[in-house]
Amino acid sequence: MAAITNARATTLTIGALSSRTGVNVETIRYYERICLIPAPPKTGGGRRVYGPEHIQILAFVRRSRELGFSIDDIRALLAVAEPGHVSCADVKRIAMAHLEDVRTKLADLARLEHVLAGTVARCSGEKAPACPVLDVLNASA
């Protein structure tokens, strides 16, 4: 049974939570171990049961990971998003730092693309004693 109904709310098994959020079961367990998501309550039989708050948090974490935020950044964002702790300035600081990282990576990728495109353009693709692509890869930095 994927969903368990009690008097207060509908709860989900880990498999149902995984299906609902698109987050792998092992990833959910990992997030619990590192305290990124709260540990769920357990039934009398020891089964974990997840609630709507877990769906919401996992959706937030998944989207944050898709945007490239680190686990530490997500932990910080979750902390400032808690009721009574919301600070747009803190969120902006975290997001700006991440944006700078993304821009640095984009610049690095643009440089890489330029070098690789030029190297590939010099390669005839025919048998030859020297290959420009291998020459670049073998060059010491």
Side-chain angles (χ1 to χ4, degrees), residues 60 64 69 72-82 90-91 94:
F60 182 93
S64 298
F69 283 94
D72 288 338
D73 285 344
I74 295 168
R75 184 175 277 117
L77 289 168
L78 285 168
V80 297
E82 288 184 16
D90 290 340
V91 172
I94 294 165

Side-chain angles (χ1 to χ4, degrees), residues 13-97:
T13 63
I14 195 167
L17 180 65
S18 174
S19 294
R20 180 85 60 91
T21 61
V23 177
N24 183 288
V25 169
E26 289 305 315
T27 303
I28 294 170
R29 288 185 181 128
Y30 170 70
Y31 289 162
E32 285 178 38
R33 275 194 310 274
I34 65 169
C35 300
L36 191 61
I37 64 170
K42 293 184 180 180
T43 65
R47 289 188 70 168
R48 294 178 172 114
V49 288
Y50 299 86
E53 69 280 3
H54 290 97
I55 295 169
Q56 183 179 0
I57 293 169
L58 278 173
F60 182 93
V61 171
R62 182 174 184 209
R63 184 67 180 136
S64 298
R65 294 297 288 156
E66 288 170 353
L67 292 172
F69 283 94
S70 70
I71 295 293
D72 288 338
D73 285 344
I74 295 168
R75 184 175 277 117
L77 289 168
L78 285 168
V80 297
E82 288 184 16
H85 294 100
V86 176
S87 169
C88 194
D90 290 340
V91 172
K92 183 177 181 177
R93 179 186 48 75
I94 294 165
M96 287 298 297

